[in-house]
Amino acid sequence: MPCTPKNDHTPPQEWGTKLERHDQELGCIFLHRRRGGAHYQDFSLADFGADPNLWRVTDTAPFGLLWLRPEAVTPAARREQIQLLVEQLWTHAGEWTSLHGEWADFKLVGYDEAGSLLFQVGKRLSFVDMDVPEKESPVPAPPSGKHESTAQHRERERRLYERTQRLLERIEESHAKLIDNFHRIVQLTSTTAATVPELYERAAEQVRQNAIIREELIRRESEARDENIRLQEHIVTEENRTLRWGKMLDFLADMGKLFISAATPFIHELAKVYFDPGGRLITDFEHAQQAIAFIAHGMTESNLDKLFKGNRKFAGAFLHVLHMGTITESEREALETIRPVMPAIRSADFDKIMSAQMDYARTYILGRIAFYRMPYYVDED
């Protein structure tokens, strides 16, 4: 980075030129500083303040300024705003330099909103041979060829005063903390010297107590382990006994369920035959076409209205399909023919209207379907 001659502490004009040139694409700017041959480091701008026309400081970017572009501003006014920012940045850099030495290098870096580098330009700030009282922060003069307005001068003086006050407050706070820590160390040292023998005796007694407690815990743990082993053996014995009885009871329960499931259909059919007057006349079928015809002829108009909720079109189609199944020669083909109406025959509404003979006919049809190993009839849209 080219270095300027001594006593050069004027705001760099090239900074303003770069900011004006990239005003519309800037996303944020950073200020880096270094002294001697060290690398550039981030220069904190967290306490730099904010300007609604140019920049905004955020907690997520304490070392940078988010660039702002106000609407309805003339080029001349915008240029003046940017020049004011450069002066304030340079003043901020001068305050830091006056506290850390006689000179420092500063570099202004600009990025777009996507994070790509737009420019980086540096300048050395030097106070060598300046007529400035020692330990006082110099106030940089306004740019050559221009005069500060009264408002700009007051603002610059106000910012310098505020930063000086903050610095003094931090120094006083650090001094107070140092004195307080010193008194605490002295007090702690005195107290420790007086209590070391007592603390040592207490520590030794605590070690002895801990050893006794540890031995007692080991003894109890050993006894508990033996008792646990005996308990586990008893639990395993009882579990095996319970498992044998459980298997025997499960076997008896399964046998009972099997007997009930086998006897229930027989008892149901027997009850239909002997207790239902209409169930005593059960027709034997030789093939499925006969059972289909029995269901078709056994459907009354009232039953059809209940089964199809009064829809005569569905009722007529139902009877037509049953008729086609009746006149089909092959039994398997007849069962395939009535496939569309099987959901209705198996439905709960059909259970409400059928007689014992029709239930027998339906059972016969389902038995023939199983005989031919035909796939399960499902409802189709």
Side-chain angles (χ1 to χ4, degrees):
M1 181 189 73
C3 297
T4 58
K6 294 182 179 181
N7 297 326
D8 188 0
H9 56 279
T10 59
Q13 296 181 359
E14 191 175 359
W15 287 14
T17 302
K18 293 292 186 181
L19 292 174
E20 290 181 25
R21 181 181 303 171
H22 299 282
D23 184 23
Q24 298 301 320
E25 51 187 340
L26 264 176
C28 61
I29 60 175
F30 290 84
L31 189 61
H32 302 302
R33 50 88 179 172
R34 73 174 181 182
R35 284 181 52 79
H39 295 288
Y40 277 104
Q41 299 179 4
D42 291 329
F43 189 54
S44 176
L45 299 174
D47 59 345
F48 190 65
D51 188 322
N53 296 319
L54 281 176
W55 71 87
R56 178 165 54 89
V57 180
T58 64
D59 295 336
T60 57
F63 296 102
L65 301 179
L66 300 182
W67 194 252
L68 304 178
R69 287 180 288 275
E71 299 179 356
V73 60
T74 62
R78 186 61 173 171
R79 189 177 302 109
E80 183 177 354
Q81 293 173 354
I82 292 177
Q83 185 61 34
L84 177 60
L85 170 63
V86 173
E87 294 174 6
Q88 293 175 351
L89 285 174
W90 199 244
T91 300
H92 196 57
E95 294 171 4
W96 183 89
T97 304
S98 65
L99 295 174
H100 294 81
E102 297 179 338
W103 65 273
D105 295 330
F106 292 91
K107 180 169 61 175
L108 185 67
V109 184
Y111 297 90
D112 61 13
E113 294 182 354
S116 300
L117 179 65
L118 295 177
F119 64 85
Q120 52 181 351
V121 57
K123 184 178 180 181
R124 172 165 294 182
L125 192 153
S126 175
F127 294 117
V128 179
D129 297 333
M130 288 185 61
D131 188 14
V132 179
E134 187 176 0
K135 297 184 180 180
E136 288 186 5
S137 299
V139 180
S144 60
K146 292 187 179 181
H147 297 281
E148 284 184 312
S149 65
T150 303
Q152 292 174 344
H153 177 75
R154 289 178 179 175
E155 177 64 18
R156 186 160 59 88
E157 292 294 335
R158 185 187 64 80
R159 289 181 179 274
L160 180 58
Y161 175 77
E162 290 179 353
R163 291 191 178 92
T164 303
Q165 289 299 115
R166 286 196 295 270
L167 178 61
L168 292 175
E169 291 175 359
R170 286 198 294 267
I171 292 175
E172 291 178 359
E173 183 180 355
S174 300
H175 180 73
K177 288 183 178 179
L178 180 62
I179 297 299
D180 183 60
N181 290 336
F182 176 76
H183 287 308
R184 290 183 180 180
I185 291 173
V186 172
Q187 183 180 4
L188 180 61
T189 303
S190 302
T191 304
T192 303
T195 57
V196 163
E198 182 181 356
L199 292 176
Y200 177 79
E201 182 62 28
R202 290 182 180 179
E205 179 63 24
Q206 187 64 41
V207 170
R208 288 192 294 271
Q209 292 295 331
N210 290 342
I212 296 174
I213 294 174
R214 184 171 180 273
E215 292 178 357
E216 180 66 19
L217 290 176
I218 293 175
R219 184 185 64 80
R220 292 182 181 181
E221 183 179 359
S222 177
E223 293 177 356
R225 189 183 301 112
D226 295 340
E227 182 65 23
N228 187 43
I229 292 175
R230 291 191 295 270
L231 181 61
Q232 290 293 333
E233 293 176 352
H234 180 69
I235 291 174
V236 171
T237 303
E238 292 298 326
E239 286 181 348
N240 291 335
R241 182 182 304 172
T242 303
L243 183 61
R244 290 194 297 271
W245 276 102
K247 289 183 178 180
M248 181 178 296
L249 293 176
D250 290 341
F251 173 75
L252 295 176
D254 292 339
M255 292 299 297
K257 292 178 181 178
L258 181 62
F259 174 78
I260 293 174
S261 61
T264 298
F266 174 76
I267 295 173
H268 180 67
E269 294 298 327
L270 188 64
K272 283 185 178 181
V273 172
Y274 289 98
F275 297 100
D276 184 7
R280 299 172 184 172
L281 302 176
I282 300 299
T283 304
D284 292 333
F285 305 111
E286 297 180 358
H287 47 77
Q289 292 92 323
Q290 294 176 344
I292 296 171
F294 187 87
I295 292 176
H297 290 286
M299 295 297 295
T300 63
E301 185 175 351
S302 175
N303 290 341
L304 290 172
D305 288 340
K306 293 179 181 178
L307 182 61
F308 296 102
K309 306 298 188 294
N311 193 321
R312 296 301 181 88
K313 182 179 179 181
F314 286 171
F318 177 75
L319 293 177
H320 175 73
V321 172
L322 292 179
H323 174 70
M324 295 302 297
T326 301
I327 63 176
T328 302
E329 292 295 334
S330 172
E331 184 179 37
R332 183 183 181 89
E333 292 179 0
L335 296 174
E336 289 286 352
T337 301
I338 67 170
R339 178 173 182 170
V341 300
M342 284 304 299
I345 295 176
R346 294 197 314 267
S347 66
D349 292 334
F350 190 84
D351 294 340
K352 297 177 182 179
I353 64 173
M354 68 180 181
S355 61
Q357 295 91 335
M358 293 176 69
D359 185 19
Y360 178 76
R362 181 178 66 173
T363 303
Y364 183 84
I365 293 172
L366 294 176
R368 299 306 295 172
I369 290 174
F371 175 79
Y372 286 110
R373 300 180 182 179
M374 298 173 67
Y376 181 72
Y377 291 110
V378 297
D379 296 337
E380 296 180 350
D381 295 336

